[in-house]
Amino acid sequence: MIVVMKKNADKEKQDRLVDWLKSMGLGIHVSVGEFQTVLGLIGDTSKVDMDLLESLDIVESVKRVSETFKCVNRKFHPDDSVVEIGSVKVGGGHFCMIAGPCSVETEEQIVTVAKAVKAAGADMLRGGAFKPRTSPYDFQGLKAQGLELLKIARAETGLPIVTEIMSADALPLFEDVDLLQVGARNMQNFDLLKELGHFGKPVLLKRGLANTLKELLMSAEYIMASGNEQVILCERGIRTYSDYLRNTLDLAAVPMLHELSHLPVVVDPSHATGIARMVPPMALAAAASGADGIMIEVHNDPIHALCDGAQSLKPEEYAALVKKVQAVREVLA
Ligand code: PEP
Ligand code: MN
């Protein structure tokens, strides 16, 4: 249920209303927007007397929210959320470019790529240290050592770092990571999501390989319901019946997620297509769809990459793409 407050509603009366609703065992999410304040009621609202609420002089209207996702729902929070990762803002008109290799391999590799993508205009550096691989015989990532190398690259460039967490057990290692990625394979690892809610650091939540938008939003709800509002959604392609492409990039998900939720939406055209030459056109399409950011795999030596070389752009290809993305953004403005 949401309670829309009247413009300039008396603050003391509003506080008293919030306390009264809390005394009924409800969680209250207060969203103070530019034009209106909305109270989002979470929990069993069946005993709440809507007519009584509506009769209060500080209340504009009361509506039931039928969707099962509440905290992530745009009805609870009409304005776009802006997620802040250090000095980088994402959402609400703030656009971010995330780039870097699939996996951290060596200090030289990650620092070289970090410098190159920074020079090209990237805002954040990605790189996997804990890698979810389909085969147990494939490179599994440098793990803790990979995180240390990412920190070195951050120190060299000033770029905030984005890296995947696969298990809540590893959380102590992620204290100094700027944006924690939940990969497609872990989108419904509910214990991990709850722990990330308590951990409190910004989370990049990727859509699962075969998950619906509602399921993605419910996973974001797990993080938010556990107390963390800093969530970015990521569309990275889903399994359909594509044969020549790694996945099917569901770009209509971007405007639909924006309609349903206030959370920022980033697109990953690298995992969506699996082919480097498909990445630039899909990145431009993602920008045109209204995405709040684009995450792209970039490697200084794609042929010898330990993971996902075929979909990795070379630094010069990335630099050319950033310029085109900026041009698309200008058209949208
Ligand atoms: C990744 O970003 O490196 C990754 C493994 O992505 P996904 O979880 O989308 O497959
Ligand atoms: Mn990858």
Side-chain angles (χ1 to χ4, degrees):
M1 184 181 284
I2 60 164
V3 180
V4 181
M5 306 305 294
K6 276 194 180 143
K7 243 187 182 178
N8 307 320
D10 183 80
K11 176 84 178 69
E12 248 176 62
K13 283 189 184 174
Q14 183 182 305
D15 290 346
R16 275 208 299 277
L17 172 61
V18 168
D19 287 344
W20 176 61
L21 292 167
K22 277 186 183 164
S23 75
M24 292 196 256
L26 298 169
I28 311 296
H29 181 275
V30 183
S31 165
V32 183
E34 204 181 328
F35 301 107
Q36 57 184 186
T37 294
V38 174
L39 308 183
L41 280 49
I42 302 159
D44 180 10
T45 54
S46 59
K47 289 186 189 73
V48 178
D49 185 339
M50 284 179 76
D51 295 334
L52 176 69
L53 275 181
E54 219 148 21
S55 70
L56 300 176
D57 63 355
I58 53 170
V59 170
E60 175 79 41
S61 61
V62 182
K63 285 178 218 142
R64 289 222 173 262
V65 175
S66 49
E67 292 90 359
T68 39
F69 48 92
K70 309 288 181 194
C71 301
V72 306
N73 203 313
R74 192 174 278 283
K75 290 177 189 159
F76 266 48
H77 190 291
D79 294 339
D80 289 341
S81 276
V82 180
V83 175
E84 294 188 30
I85 303 108
S87 60
V88 178
K89 292 184 177 168
V90 189
H94 302 278
F95 186 80
C96 78
M97 292 290 286
I98 306 171
C102 181
S103 314
V104 181
E105 297 169 5
T106 63
E107 178 173 337
E108 197 201 344
Q109 173 242 18
I110 192 68
V111 171
T112 304
V113 176
K115 286 181 176 165
V117 298
K118 162 125 192 197
D123 307 291
M124 282 189 260
L125 174 68
R126 64 149 286 146
F130 292 82
K131 294 302 306 173
R133 302 303 301 275
T134 302
S135 164
Y137 308 115
D138 285 340
F139 177 57
Q140 304 285 309
L142 296 180
K143 307 198 167 69
Q145 190 203 346
L147 296 180
E148 292 312 311
L149 298 182
L150 277 169
K151 290 178 206 168
I152 292 172
R154 176 177 61 190
E156 293 270 343
T157 58
L159 293 177
I161 51 179
V162 187
T163 194
E164 178 162 354
I165 178 144
M166 284 167 48
S167 153
D169 297 342
L171 269 174
L173 294 171
F174 283 70
E175 290 284 353
D176 197 19
V177 167
D178 302 296
L179 177 59
L180 278 67
Q181 172 175 317
V182 175
R185 289 152 190 84
N186 264 314
M187 190 202 87
Q188 288 190 315
N189 180 342
F190 301 118
D191 285 338
L192 174 62
L193 300 177
K194 281 186 256 183
E195 288 302 323
L196 287 169
H198 300 132
F199 199 56
K201 282 194 163 260
V203 176
L204 179 72
L205 177 64
K206 297 186 97 174
R207 181 178 181 183
L209 275 69
N211 284 111
T212 63
L213 297 183
K214 194 185 279 175
E215 286 163 348
L216 172 62
L217 291 169
M218 288 311 298
S219 289
E221 185 80 13
Y222 263 95
I223 301 170
M224 291 192 78
S226 301
N228 184 356
E229 305 206 332
Q230 302 273 293
V231 181
I232 301 172
L233 305 171
C234 179
E235 163 59 37
R236 46 77 71 205
I238 47 170
R239 278 276 167 88
T240 59
Y241 38 82
S242 40
D243 41 12
Y244 293 102
L245 294 154
R246 186 172 177 178
N247 287 294
T248 298
L249 180 56
D250 180 11
L251 272 186
V254 177
M256 182 50 85
L257 287 170
H258 278 152
E259 207 173 283
L260 295 167
S261 174
H262 51 90
L263 297 175
V265 184
V266 161
V267 172
D268 169 354
S270 303
H271 292 90
T273 61
I275 303 168
R277 66 180 184 283
M278 300 294 141
V279 171
M282 289 302 99
L284 298 179
S289 75
D292 301 289
I294 301 177
M295 178 156 85
I296 290 175
E297 287 189 343
V298 178
H299 198 288
N300 53 333
D301 186 9
I303 293 173
H304 296 107
L306 295 181
C307 183
D308 285 349
Q311 68 193 31
S312 298
L313 295 188
K314 293 186 188 128
E316 58 273 21
E317 292 168 335
Y318 180 69
L321 175 58
V322 172
K323 289 204 182 85
K324 290 185 185 166
V325 169
Q326 282 161 351
V328 170
R329 295 270 311 150
E330 274 163 33
V331 172
L332 296 180

